[in-house]
Amino acid sequence: MGAVITRLRRVGKKGRNPKNKKKKGKGVVVKKGGLTPQSSRRGAKASTRRRRSNGTQRSQKTQRKPLTEVFANTDEPTYENIVESNTKQHESNDSQRNRRMSTKRRKSTGTRRSQKGHTVERRPLNDIFPKAEDTTDSCNTYDNNIQQRGTKFRASQRSAKGSIRRRKSSRKLKKHLFPSPAVFSQIDAHAIKAGEELRRKRIFSVKAITEAITVGAVTDLQKLRAIWIWICHNIEYDVSGYLGQTEKVTSPERVIETGRGICCGYSSLCVQMCSEVGVECREVSGHSKGASYRPGLHAEATKSDHAWNVVRLQGHWYLLDSCWGAGNVDFTKRVFNKCYDEFFFLTDPEMFISSHYPDDPQWQLLRVPLTLEEFQKRVQKSSWFFQLGLTLHHPTHFLLVTENGEATISMTFPEPLEFTYRFSQRSGSIQRELSTSAALLIVTTTHMKLQLRPPTQGTFDIVVFARTANTSGSLPDVCNFLLECPKPSPLDGFPENPSKSWGMEPKAKDMGLKPCQYEAEITLESGTFEMVLQTSRPLMMLCKLAHKDLDEALAKRCVATQNESDQLSCHVLCPYKGYYRLSVFVKDSESSTETYNPAGTFLLHCTSSAVININKLFPPDLSNNCGPGNSTLKAGLTNFSHSRALINTQQGQCNITFRNQHGLKLQANLSREERQQPKYPLSRHVLLSCDEKDATISVALPGAGVYKLSLFGGPATKTTLSHICDYVLRNDWEGSWPPFPLSYSIWNSGCVLFEPRTGLLEPMAKVRFCVKVPRAREVSVIGQNHTELRLNQESQMWEGEVFTDTVPQFKLAATFPGGAPGSMDILLCFDVLKTPNGMR
């Protein structure tokens, strides 16, 4: 039957009923009746008249010191202001309650007329608290006679004013009592220090301990806080007793003496300690979703498994669980992890119901109580779920059932968080954790989505972990779910992801990356993709691509990176349809270490059939420095005509120009994956020309394909040049260009060839030569004959005509100041064709 509640009225100076009181010393004690959360008056102990004089509070047997004397040496004057404010508020509430209680009451059969003439409907008490089931618990010390007392008082006539007052009373939340646990810093410190001293002196008396730890506490809230802190820091959970290995410790005296107890040991001790200081506290039994709870294992309707407390402060009831506040139990290791949890001190009912379901629904303290069935369906949420500000959007219940082999969990949060998960399959009593290919975790700054794709049918457990972004340590679990998969998905699994989470890393900003425009999952309509990431400082990037059909060698030929001062670019080629994992790593450009830090992991979904041909992948051994960027700037090479790393040539030809500010000695090499040996070396198809500080790389490709053009440079005094950057050249033209003349090392010291541009000369023909050779004293073309070129004073170019005869080669040579007398340095070497317009 439903719990019927009675109301005690605080009696003012007028209209006192002598039958309901008796003298005990100098105090007036009201007879105890059934007290409920809706009662707005004080109980027998709470109604004991307090006397306050000069900042002191005196009980019947104990005189307590004011807080200013206890903490006289503190450096935090604001704490006294908080205590004084709380005391005044407490007295003000008492005064207002007395004035309301003394108002003249008028009896009414169901309605009451207010001063303004409005008729207010009176609600029966059973409408406020629905009927509860009869449940029992061996650990429960809750007053089992409350229903009997309720039946007795329900038969009595209630006043209309009492009904109106109950309906108008507003429930206070935790934040209404205190803004932050920091206001209890001195209370907490004293309770912990006093507890240590009492244990050293082996004092186990409930009364003595309570008096010692509450010294200086003025309000009921402060006294309760001291008791709560002492219990959480001095009592450990009795794991062996719970498991039946030893006798359970439940009585308050034994709990204090042994320093351990099960849940009802915590709750009964809290009740007794509160009674010593006049704080009204009750023990509540019910069901819980604790360490041994698993989704899908329903609680029995008639058997409780946990006990906690309710306490009344300032006329309102609040919930607390000192057992869970002290720490948690790891039943796999059979140990208690001592870890204080502030969350379970005066927890708001909407949060508390996530893990605690009382046998008596009235102690839910909810306006609309939940049924046990609804409690069982709700998702288990840990204290961290609420402390991190998480909001669960899907699913609403713990049970997930796949649709087309997939299911999704989503939630939002106000501040950036880091997430991970555990996805395991139930197989009898054994759980087998699945690989990361069975789930897709996507985290943004305010949203988390976990897409689940079980590889087989069956039952699965999902645990979600989270913590504040950019923090260290383990990730605590926040909620868990049960997944039923009648039939697996026909789609492929996701790529393996060691980091589990997809998208940019939370620490990417600290690494120098600006906010990313890309989602964690990127759908590609073609086989090519370019990712551009903006940076706040010069960085270097390393990218890795993975696919179930790609081996390591091919995967390296699918990415090309370009590192510029303000952005990073990654060019991706997808030779197959399906899912790819693109992992991005970065480091500072000036860093001497070879270690790259993970900056993000992206899921590329190539849906188009227009994939890239294996033969058109990037050249092998491509460096991380492609195109102009940090490396070219460091070398003093600027103003590139081609700013991107990938160049699509026009019929196999292109000229790349740039500025050589430091006058470096340069060299350009051309290479590709050769399927057959070419007639001429690829080095003959690239010609580097330097005109003072302007440099030009001329390319004439011998056929279709993908080529790597590498640029090297260094001081003129060094024989070995350093690698600067690579270009990727693409040629779809099926034609072929003849090679350039073979160049020698001295050619790159500032020489420019204007005519002839080809390295193959027609036989028995006149060929015009026009070349610029700085500092040369004499320039000649050497074949069967020795032909000197003339210096044009206006253009500063060496010019002349040479007749090709049957000599297979012609060489361009020059004499420079300081050289040996009569010696000439060869600059270029030309081949003469055997037949006109034919290849040798």
Side-chain angles (χ1 to χ4, degrees), residues 694-713:
D694 293 324
T696 301
I697 302 176
S698 300
V699 179
L701 299 176
V706 182
Y707 298 81
K708 178 178 72 172
L709 177 64
S710 300
L711 180 61
F712 298 84

Side-chain angles (χ1 to χ4, degrees), residues 570-727:
C570 178
H571 302 267
V572 180
L573 303 179
C574 300
Y576 307 112
K577 290 179 60 177
Y579 290 105
Y580 292 80
R581 183 188 74 238
L582 177 63
S583 302
V584 179
F585 305 85
V586 299
K587 72 172 185 177
D588 285 323
S589 179
E590 299 299 328
S591 176
S592 59
T593 179
E594 296 296 326
T595 303
Y596 286 78
N597 301 311
T601 308
F602 298 88
L603 180 69
L604 307 183
H605 188 192
C606 184
T607 60
S608 174
S609 59
V611 295
I612 299 300
N613 189 297
I614 292 289
N615 298 325
K616 294 186 177 181
L617 298 181
F618 295 125
D621 301 325
L622 200 63
S623 73
N624 293 332
N625 296 319
C626 291
N630 299 329
S631 58
T632 56
L633 284 174
K634 187 176 180 180
L637 307 181
T638 60
N639 301 344
F640 278 82
S641 59
H642 294 71
S643 60
R644 308 313 300 155
L646 273 62
I647 299 176
N648 294 315
T649 62
Q650 296 294 325
Q651 293 186 340
Q653 286 187 319
C654 70
N655 290 310
I656 303 173
T657 62
F658 54 92
R659 187 80 170 169
N660 184 10
Q661 295 182 344
H662 298 164
L664 296 181
K665 183 180 179 180
L666 301 174
Q667 180 181 338
N669 291 341
L670 189 66
S671 63
R672 72 168 176 174
E673 184 184 28
E674 296 293 349
R675 292 175 293 277
Q676 59 183 7
Q677 189 66 26
K679 188 171 184 178
Y680 292 93
L682 288 178
S683 58
R684 294 283 301 273
H685 290 272
V686 58
L687 181 64
L688 176 64
S689 302
C690 299
D691 185 4
E692 295 182 351
K693 291 187 177 182
D694 293 324
T696 301
I697 302 176
S698 300
V699 179
L701 299 176
V706 182
Y707 298 81
K708 178 178 72 172
L709 177 64
S710 300
L711 180 61
F712 298 84
T717 57
K718 288 190 176 182
T719 58
T720 303
L721 304 181
S722 301
H723 178 270
I724 298 177
C725 71
D726 289 335
Y727 272 100

Side-chain angles (χ1 to χ4, degrees), residues 518-575:
Y518 302 99
E519 300 291 338
E521 182 177 3
I522 304 171
T523 302
L524 308 181
E525 296 181 356
S526 65
T528 61
F529 171 66
E530 181 182 9
M531 172 177 284
V532 180
L533 302 176
Q534 305 298 323
T535 64
S536 57
R537 60 178 184 265
L539 300 176
M540 293 185 65
M541 177 170 62
L542 173 67
C543 294
K544 294 183 179 180
L545 193 68
H547 185 276
K548 62 184 181 67
D549 296 328
L550 270 181
D551 58 27
E552 185 175 356
L554 280 180
K556 289 182 178 180
R557 298 185 56 191
C558 292
V559 293
T561 57
Q562 183 174 1
N563 307 309
E564 300 177 79
S565 59
D566 58 351
Q567 69 178 24
L568 303 172
S569 302
C570 178
H571 302 267
V572 180
L573 303 179
C574 300

Side-chain angles (χ1 to χ4, degrees), residues 186-203:
Q186 294 183 13
I187 291 287
D188 295 352
H190 172 71
I192 294 174
K193 184 177 180 180
E196 295 173 351
E197 183 67 23
L198 291 167
R199 182 159 290 276
R200 282 197 299 267
K201 294 181 179 179
R202 298 188 62 80
I203 297 177

